[in-house]
Amino acid sequence: MNRALGPGWNVWAEHTDSLQERDTGWLQVYVSTVQEAYDATLLAFRIAEHPSVLLPVMVNLDASPSPISCSRSRPSMPGTSSRLSCSHAIDTKIPAVWYLTGPEEYFKFRWDIERSMRDASGVIQEAETEFAERFGRRYGFTDEYLCEDADVLIIALGTLAKRQKSR
């Protein structure tokens, strides 16, 4: 749930929860309904565990009143009982200690994150195509609405975008 950071009981939409993680190497997906959050979570596992990505994926649903108060039904996803495989998961029988990386090695890790972010684009498209074939829903990287002859465009994330679209 993505919410305003202060005060802690705020349930209005703001993205400071997730945007503070912008440069940490997480792929971020912004959704506007409970169904989209459920679908994106399934896609997130497929994308994050792909050998050419191997980055965490954060699914963000704004903590605005609309998803909280208006989504009383369970998301629909028939035929999703198969287990996820995690061939690269941590082996708890052989624990490892990872030390800090010095400046001479740090750029290599940052480059790996950059490469994985670029590779993720193709993986996301593949995963979404498979998802659409199986479940009949497709989301895309962006959702354009009434842009063809617009003089001004509003760029928004999550429920803020959905609310503007419904007006």
Side-chain angles (χ1 to χ4, degrees):
M1 200 53 74
N2 204 15
R3 62 175 174 79
L5 290 181
W9 54 86
N10 190 333
V11 296
W12 297 101
E14 187 180 69
H15 298 118
T16 49
D17 267 4
S18 60
L19 291 179
Q20 67 183 349
E21 303 302 323
R22 186 194 71 183
D23 297 328
T24 61
W26 286 68
L27 294 166
Q28 296 191 26
V29 179
Y30 291 84
V31 299
S32 57
T33 67
V34 173
Q35 182 68 58
E36 288 177 14
Y38 188 74
D39 294 351
T41 300
L42 293 174
L43 286 164
F45 280 100
R46 164 74 166 74
I47 295 160
E49 294 178 357
H50 192 279
S52 66
V53 177
L54 297 177
L55 291 175
V57 177
M58 179 188 309
V59 177
N60 297 287
L61 175 63
D62 296 337
S64 73
S66 17
I68 295 170
S69 62
C70 299
S71 300
R72 302 199 190 289
S73 61
R74 298 181 106 185
S76 146
M77 190 61 64
T80 56
S81 61
S82 59
R83 289 179 52 97
L84 296 170
S85 66
C86 299
S87 60
H88 58 277
I90 296 170
D91 184 353
T92 56
K93 294 179 179 139
I94 309 171
V97 176
W98 298 99
Y99 298 96
L100 293 176
T101 302
E104 66 283 351
E105 295 292 320
Y106 179 72
F107 76 94
K108 294 176 186 176
F109 288 103
R110 294 306 301 175
W111 173 246
D112 283 345
I113 291 170
E114 169 68 19
R115 179 199 41 76
S116 292
M117 291 275 185
R118 290 176 190 247
D119 291 348
S121 178
V123 173
I124 292 166
Q125 290 173 348
E126 287 174 23
E128 187 165 29
T129 299
E130 292 171 13
F131 184 90
E133 289 170 0
R134 186 168 181 185
F135 302 111
R137 289 185 295 277
R138 177 180 293 276
Y139 298 103
F141 285 101
T142 60
D143 184 14
E144 298 171 3
Y145 181 69
L146 300 176
C147 294
E148 297 81 26
D149 60 346
D151 293 328
V152 176
L153 297 178
I154 296 173
I155 300 173
L157 302 169
T159 57
L160 299 172
K162 186 68 84 181
R163 189 166 290 147
Q164 291 304 314
K165 194 173 179 179
S166 67
R167 292 178 185 235

